[in-house]
Amino acid sequence: MMNGDSSLRSGQPAVAALVVTYFPDLGFPERLETLLAQIGRVVVIDNGSDAVCLAWKGGFAGRPGVTILENGRNLGIAAALNQGMGLLAAEGYGWVLTLDQDSLLETGCVAALLDRLAEDSDPERVAMIGANRTDAGATLAAHRWLRPKKGFPFFERVSCERIRADGVTLVITSGTLTSVAAFERLGLFKSDLFIDLVDFEYCLRARAAEYRILVSPRAKLSHRVGAKRQARLAIMTLSPMHHGALRKYYMFRNAIPVMRAYGAVFPHWLVYQLLAMAEIVIGILFFEDRKLFKLRACLAGLWDGLLGRMGPARRVF
């Protein structure tokens, strides 16, 4: 097992990083170097990028602590996460930092995540610790976190500073420190979801098993969600993500089985998810291009989700 970077204090758990790539941009090698400055063990799993997008490998091949695995085709985010988690669990790592290819860690992010774990009174019941992320879009807005509250709409979105000891409902894959022990008890990420809501389903599964999900205010991460841009519609401020039609399909399809599994257990999340889906449709109607294709993809996703047609999309958008 390799130890983490020297910036991590002795006595902290052994941590590795896992990055899943799919046609990464030219800035990926720089972001990978930033990651390696904080963690000495990194696994990169590529889901079928072409040779041009894999040219970055030349600068990291044979680098101590770096493993690059190529699947040759897109197996989906869940399958790649399961590959990497299994590999690092076998090496004896206790925590794995998962990252998207376009996320950038700020200095001290990993140490801050581990400090948040060390501060907790019951760390064995912590499944995940998320970074305090900002959207790298036009607003650079700090993320607000979901948690339940009494009375309709049963949820609220709060800043890191207002998060209680019982944690939050959801974190995304990128910038999240995941407990290997909890992963081995909870089971694999759901590969039949392929992409979208893979992280939400895992979070809800963890919360249903009485694990907690924490966030570190001092662990800073820049992460862009789609091509999000804020827009005004009457009295509402929306954040259309401008994802392509295929991503819209997965978002709506995968919402169906996850809502069936956890909607009654977490009604505050169910209301939040339904409102988020409504916002996607409004965003398409008023602010996004290829409106007909994207709306058809949303409807097709709902239909396939109701029929249980999971895995890679059988439709072309």
Side-chain angles (χ1 to χ4, degrees):
M1 181 198 309
M2 294 196 59
N3 293 324
D5 183 78
S6 59
S7 62
L8 304 181
R9 293 190 291 272
S10 61
Q12 290 182 321
V15 180
L18 170 59
V19 186
V20 179
T21 59
Y22 180 70
F23 291 86
D25 63 22
L26 294 176
F28 177 68
E30 182 178 354
R31 293 190 291 273
L32 185 54
E33 287 286 6
T34 300
L35 174 61
L36 285 164
Q38 297 190 45
I39 293 184
R41 177 70 174 112
V42 176
V43 174
V44 182
I45 298 183
D46 184 78
N47 259 342
S49 302
D50 60 22
V52 173
C53 289
L54 286 172
W56 63 269
K57 291 193 309 175
F60 295 89
R63 182 99 165 249
V66 178
T67 298
I68 303 169
L69 302 178
E70 295 180 53
N71 286 329
R73 61 190 178 93
N74 189 1
L75 300 180
I77 184 69
L81 289 172
N82 291 334
Q83 280 180 277
M85 291 293 294
L87 173 64
L88 292 168
E91 292 181 7
Y93 285 93
W95 292 82
V96 176
L97 177 68
T98 55
L99 286 162
D100 288 354
Q101 63 190 23
D102 56 355
S103 296
L104 177 64
L105 295 180
E106 293 192 13
T107 301
C109 179
V110 178
L113 288 168
L114 290 172
D115 284 345
R116 179 65 187 88
L117 177 66
E119 294 162 2
D120 192 76
S121 60
D122 189 12
E124 291 187 0
R125 300 307 300 173
V126 176
M128 309 167 90
I129 308 173
N132 184 10
R133 61 186 173 95
T134 55
D135 192 326
T139 62
L140 292 175
H143 183 72
R144 299 178 71 82
W145 305 87
L146 179 70
R147 73 179 186 190
K149 76 167 187 175
K150 294 181 179 179
F152 188 81
F154 311 120
F155 72 85
E156 60 183 346
R157 304 287 300 279
V158 299
S159 65
C160 270
E161 291 71 25
R162 291 183 56 204
I163 294 174
R164 300 184 298 246
D166 59 348
V168 299
T169 305
L170 304 169
V171 290
I172 65 169
T173 301
S174 195
T176 292
L177 200 60
T178 298
S179 164
V180 172
F183 175 78
E184 291 177 336
R185 294 189 191 105
L186 292 168
L188 302 175
F189 291 95
K190 298 294 185 183
S191 59
D192 60 344
L193 296 178
F194 199 72
I195 191 172
D196 287 307
L197 275 83
V198 169
D199 42 11
F200 285 11
E201 189 281 333
Y202 185 84
C203 289
L204 294 170
R205 195 179 348 146
R207 291 304 306 250
E210 299 185 347
Y211 281 95
R212 288 174 298 122
I213 299 171
L214 307 179
V215 178
S216 169
R218 295 187 294 107
K220 300 297 180 66
L221 173 86
S222 177
H223 174 77
R224 190 180 184 96
V225 180
K228 184 185 290 187
R229 298 189 293 272
Q230 283 195 342
R232 293 283 298 177
L233 180 64
I235 62 172
M236 296 188 297
T237 299
L238 304 176
S239 298
M241 293 181 286
H242 299 274
H243 283 123
L246 183 59
R247 287 294 302 276
K248 306 288 191 192
Y249 167 84
Y250 282 121
M251 290 173 187
F252 278 72
R253 187 199 68 177
N254 293 349
I256 299 300
V258 181
M259 288 192 293
R260 280 174 171 166
Y262 299 105
V265 182
F266 301 105
H268 74 287
W269 170 78
L270 178 62
V271 175
Y272 164 80
Q273 180 64 31
L274 291 170
L275 291 175
M277 293 166 72
E279 181 177 349
I280 290 172
V281 172
I282 294 170
I284 293 170
L285 288 171
F286 289 95
F287 302 108
E288 298 195 21
D289 60 2
R290 304 184 74 234
K291 301 179 190 300
L292 180 58
F293 288 99
K294 292 179 180 180
L295 291 172
R296 286 175 58 190
C298 293
L299 288 172
L302 289 174
W303 182 247
D304 284 354
L306 290 169
L307 294 178
R309 295 172 178 164
M310 306 304 289
R314 299 180 178 92
R315 302 167 183 262
V316 177
F317 298 101

